[in-house]
Amino acid sequence: MAGLDPVSFLRSTPPFDGLPPNLFQVASDVLEIVYQPEGAVLVERGGPPMDHLYVIRKGAVRLERDGQTLQILEEGETFGYTSLITGKATLDVTVDEDLLAYRIPSTAFNALLAYAPFAGHFATGLAERLRNSLERASVATFHTDLATPVESLVRRGPVSVASTATIGEAARVMRENDVSAVLVNAEPPGIVTDRDLRNRVLANGLGPDTPVTRIYSHPLRTMPARTAISEAWQTLLDAGVHHLPLTREDGIIGVLSSTDLLKCTAQGPVAVLRRVERMASRDSLPGYADKVAEMVSSLLVGGLEVTAIAGLVARLNDALITRILRWAEADLGGAPCAYAWMVFGSEGRMEQTLLTDQDNALVYERDTPEVRSWFAQFAERANDDLEAAGFPSCAGRYMARHWLGPFPEWHDRFRTWIDDPNPQALLQTAIFLDFRRVYGTLDLEPLDAALSSARNHRTFIAAMAKAALNFQPPPSLLLRVKSGAEVDLKLHGVSPIVFLARCYGVEAGSLERNTFERLRAAVRSGLIGDDARETISEAYRYLLGLRLRAQLRMIAGGKRASNLVRLSELSSVERSRLKEAFRAIRDWQDKAAYHYRTDLF
């Protein structure tokens, strides 16, 4: 953009790039060019507010409060809008490097605020600005509108049979109407699908004269016809079914099948789930990670929020793990006792998008040399298969092949971590507090009880908070495009929020694993205010989305996805919002340090 004239530069800068021609003309007609030398003070906190919106062409300005640098703004970034909207000067603004800027007066700015997309960019609340800021990535060509109601996918009304029908009659009705499911008008009503005919009829040797009520599924699960396609995916995956009747006020209007969703979203989660279900052997595992990446890219470009994408990925990964563990059971002849396969980290919190290092463990009911040997082989097979599917081995060795043992051993381990919060215990406890059972029948309620009881151990919580505060955003002065700054979005953004939210969740006595839910639990317990929760939640959502988009760009360019991004590779909006998110995290950490009195440890 170096060679652009002022009007063209403004036109290429968000949010002016999205203005309709007539509104952009309002801005361009009054555009002014200003120069300010290094050290010039443009506004002082508490003094007269700014009366122009500034867009930086060259140079930089420094935002300060009480002599502390909060943010450095550079080319393409804007400032002055807070003064214009609130009528107050809340920060000191000083030129950090000789400044060339374009500006428009308050009258024109206020006129442009009538255009909602423009106003959203300059929302006064950080949470709202972050919500409005993420641009869609150009990493895929999938454009299905995920908000479309699922009723648009249903081409015919429901097909049903009487409660007195036989299996043979139900099968004939399905064939004649070319459907894969029929409703059964019984009390309670239910459904029979083509899978039921395979798994409950043929597999069990039942004859065509068997009453259909013997094999039908009930009570009937239904879904509102106005449900969005994206929500329908989640419902089908959660329920573990392939057909759901759609309802309106006057009753059932049709039956949605996973095939219907598959046809309209060929790169969606239903397609990946179908691929997992059809895996005949371990030879099918390679390529799973690529399919997930394709799906995630498609969903992101389709407009689905990153947290919803993460939830879908977690459900697919759970289905894959279930299949892998069943293969291992078949290989070894069945488990000798009850057990549970646990996952941790982002997978435990259901916040993973692209596949990352394995974080899992294995707990079993009782301990004998034979039992321990069986589960050691079991864990080796499962970890190897997950690696083949695209889950790399964990460098920290948080994998079932290293972390397995009988339940009493695990329970004692949890109690020791909480009762004796030494540095090594805190390191291990942090990730294990995210545990989530994916497969197995062993009851883990005593581990939940140990986790819940940690709220009464103030020393443990405070020590955990002190450890969490070791993860911090980079200093504002280092966040400069000119310096070639590179930021680790996980280390400096995601982890500070995850670790501190975990502390608040434990203090609230919550058993939630998800970061957003832990923050809500903290609000319910009066530990933080709802405004703080909203700001941190949106900062977290923004960071997850920004990282995902950057990683998908890396993959599309043939590179390995990482957490590192260069500020120069981000748009001016992305840079500004990233700096604001970091500032919000630092403010939250300062309040948390006082709340937990971490200075005493």
Side-chain angles (χ1 to χ4, degrees):
M1 294 194 296
L4 295 180
D5 63 83
V7 172
S8 297
F9 182 88
L10 187 69
R11 191 50 157 159
S12 66
T13 303
F16 295 93
D17 59 343
L19 283 173
N22 62 317
L23 288 179
F24 180 72
Q25 191 67 43
V26 172
S28 62
D29 284 347
V30 295
L31 186 64
E32 302 174 5
I33 302 173
V34 294
Y35 301 89
Q36 292 287 349
E38 180 180 337
V41 177
L42 302 184
V43 67
E44 292 183 316
R45 182 183 180 191
M50 304 189 81
D51 54 8
H52 287 79
L53 176 74
Y54 287 75
V55 180
I56 300 174
R57 178 66 185 263
K58 289 183 179 179
V61 299
R62 185 171 66 252
L63 308 184
E64 297 177 310
R65 180 185 291 128
D66 299 328
Q68 180 181 359
T69 298
L70 301 179
Q71 202 164 321
I72 301 289
L73 302 179
E74 299 178 274
E75 179 180 330
E77 296 183 78
T78 59
F79 65 94
Y81 54 87
T82 302
S83 279
L84 294 176
I85 293 173
T86 66
K88 300 177 181 178
T90 58
L91 299 173
D92 298 325
V93 180
T94 305
V95 177
D96 195 66
E97 182 180 308
D98 289 350
L99 177 70
L100 167 62
Y102 306 135
R103 70 182 191 180
I104 62 173
S106 59
T107 52
F109 177 74
N110 290 331
L112 297 178
L113 289 180
Y115 185 62
F118 185 88
H121 182 87
F122 296 108
T124 55
L126 175 57
E128 189 175 352
R129 287 202 300 277
L130 291 171
R131 270 195 299 269
N132 290 325
S133 61
L134 273 180
E135 303 164 335
R136 293 185 181 182
S138 56
V139 292
T141 58
F142 176 78
H143 297 296
T144 295
D145 185 353
L146 303 180
T148 300
V150 288
E151 63 182 337
S152 65
L153 306 181
V154 176
R155 303 305 178 195
R156 61 170 303 152
V159 177
S160 62
V161 296
S163 61
T164 56
T166 64
I167 290 173
E169 291 169 341
R172 283 192 292 274
V173 169
M174 290 169 65
R175 182 186 63 190
E176 291 168 0
N177 289 274
D178 192 24
V179 294
S180 56
V182 292
L183 302 179
V184 180
N185 295 326
E187 188 55 48
I191 190 171
V192 170
T193 70
D194 51 1
R195 289 172 179 262
D196 294 330
L197 297 180
R198 288 198 307 271
N199 300 332
R200 299 179 182 179
V201 178
L202 294 177
N204 292 324
L206 300 180
D209 295 331
T210 304
V212 72
T213 50
R214 181 172 170 183
I215 59 105
Y216 82 135
S217 298
H218 60 281
L220 196 62
R221 293 175 179 266
T222 62
M223 177 192 299
R226 298 296 298 172
T227 301
I229 287 175
S230 59
E231 293 180 39
W233 281 337
Q234 295 176 2
T235 301
L236 282 173
L237 294 177
D238 286 344
V241 298
H242 292 263
H243 296 80
L244 277 175
L246 303 182
T247 60
R248 286 205 196 107
E249 293 79 2
D250 53 350
I252 296 173
I253 65 163
V255 177
L256 176 75
S257 71
S258 58
T259 302
D260 295 326
L261 287 174
L262 190 61
K263 288 177 180 177
C264 83
T265 54
Q267 292 175 292
V270 174
V272 182
L273 179 63
R274 184 73 59 87
R275 186 176 190 268
V276 170
E277 291 176 337
R278 291 178 175 175
M279 286 181 176
S281 68
R282 293 179 172 88
D283 294 338
S284 304
L285 290 172
Y288 173 76
D290 293 336
K291 289 297 181 184
V292 170
E294 290 174 9
M295 180 198 78
V296 167
S297 175
S298 299
L299 299 184
L300 189 65
V301 175
L304 196 61
E305 184 194 308
V306 65
T307 53
I309 294 174
L312 291 169
V313 170
R315 291 167 176 85
L316 293 172
N317 290 345
D318 289 355
L320 178 73
I321 291 170
T322 296
R323 197 154 191 82
I324 284 173
L325 296 181
R326 286 175 178 169
W327 284 340
E329 285 180 339
D331 289 345
L332 299 173
C337 63
Y339 70 92
W341 182 274
M342 300 187 294
V343 294
F344 310 109
S346 60
E347 185 72 358
R349 299 189 305 274
M350 300 186 79
E351 294 168 3
Q352 186 178 86
T353 49
L354 303 180
L355 304 194
T356 56
D357 293 359
Q358 294 187 48
D359 289 313
N360 48 57
L362 185 59
V363 52
Y364 42 87
E365 187 175 28
R366 54 187 173 83
D367 191 27
T368 68
E370 294 76 19
V371 168
R372 187 173 287 267
S373 174
W374 190 96
F375 281 109
Q377 298 177 67
F378 181 75
E380 286 290 343
R381 279 173 164 77
N383 284 149
D384 286 345
D385 285 348
L386 285 169
E387 187 169 356
F391 292 87
S393 293
C394 176
R397 293 167 59 90
Y398 288 104
M399 299 167 63
R401 60 163 53 104
H402 306 298
W403 287 89
L404 73 166
F407 183 81
E409 184 178 294
W410 273 99
H411 189 256
D412 290 345
R413 182 178 290 138
F414 266 62
R415 292 288 354 151
T416 300
W417 284 335
I418 294 170
D419 294 338
D420 181 23
N422 59 67
Q424 181 62 26
L426 290 170
L427 178 65
Q428 294 174 346
T429 306
I431 189 171
F432 283 109
L433 291 186
D434 295 340
F435 81 88
R436 179 172 65 88
R437 180 177 60 188
V438 171
Y439 187 76
T441 59
L442 185 62
D443 182 14
L444 299 183
E445 192 280 330
L447 297 187
D448 280 333
L451 175 58
S452 182
S453 71
R455 69 181 304 180
N456 300 316
H457 294 252
R458 298 297 304 174
T459 301
F460 168 73
I461 298 174
M464 191 167 64
K466 185 176 180 65
L469 294 177
N470 289 327
F471 296 89
Q472 295 188 342
S476 297
L477 292 174
L478 297 182
L479 294 176
R480 299 290 302 272
V481 172
K482 185 177 179 180
S483 67
E486 195 173 53
V487 177
D488 187 319
L489 293 177
K490 179 179 180 181
L491 180 65
H492 296 305
V494 172
S495 293
I497 294 176
V498 166
F499 277 65
L500 201 49
R502 189 184 288 131
C503 298
Y504 279 101
V506 169
E507 185 181 9
S510 172
L511 293 178
E512 297 287 355
R513 310 305 198 253
N514 181 268
T515 298
F516 297 98
E517 294 303 323
R518 282 171 166 163
L519 291 172
R520 291 189 183 95
V523 171
R524 290 193 297 270
S525 296
L527 302 176
I528 61 175
D530 197 54
D531 287 347
R533 177 206 62 79
E534 184 181 25
T535 298
I536 294 301
S537 293
E538 292 305 325
Y540 188 53
R541 187 176 283 109
Y542 176 81
L543 289 164
L544 291 177
L546 184 64
R547 180 179 65 166
L548 177 57
R549 291 173 58 232
Q551 289 177 333
L552 289 173
R553 289 191 195 116
M554 295 174 197
I555 293 173
K559 302 176 183 177
R560 182 180 177 183
S562 79
N563 294 299
L564 292 174
V565 298
R566 287 187 177 277
L567 288 184
S568 59
E569 295 174 351
L570 302 178
S571 71
S572 59
V573 175
E574 290 172 332
R575 292 199 309 270
S576 287
R577 298 301 184 255
L578 176 61
K579 295 171 187 178
E580 290 184 309
F582 282 156
R583 195 169 87 196
I585 294 171
R586 284 193 292 269
D587 289 345
W588 187 43
Q589 289 182 323
D590 289 344
K591 292 182 175 65
Y594 177 79
H595 174 75
Y596 289 113
R597 301 303 307 270
T598 56
D599 58 314
L600 300 179
F601 288 85

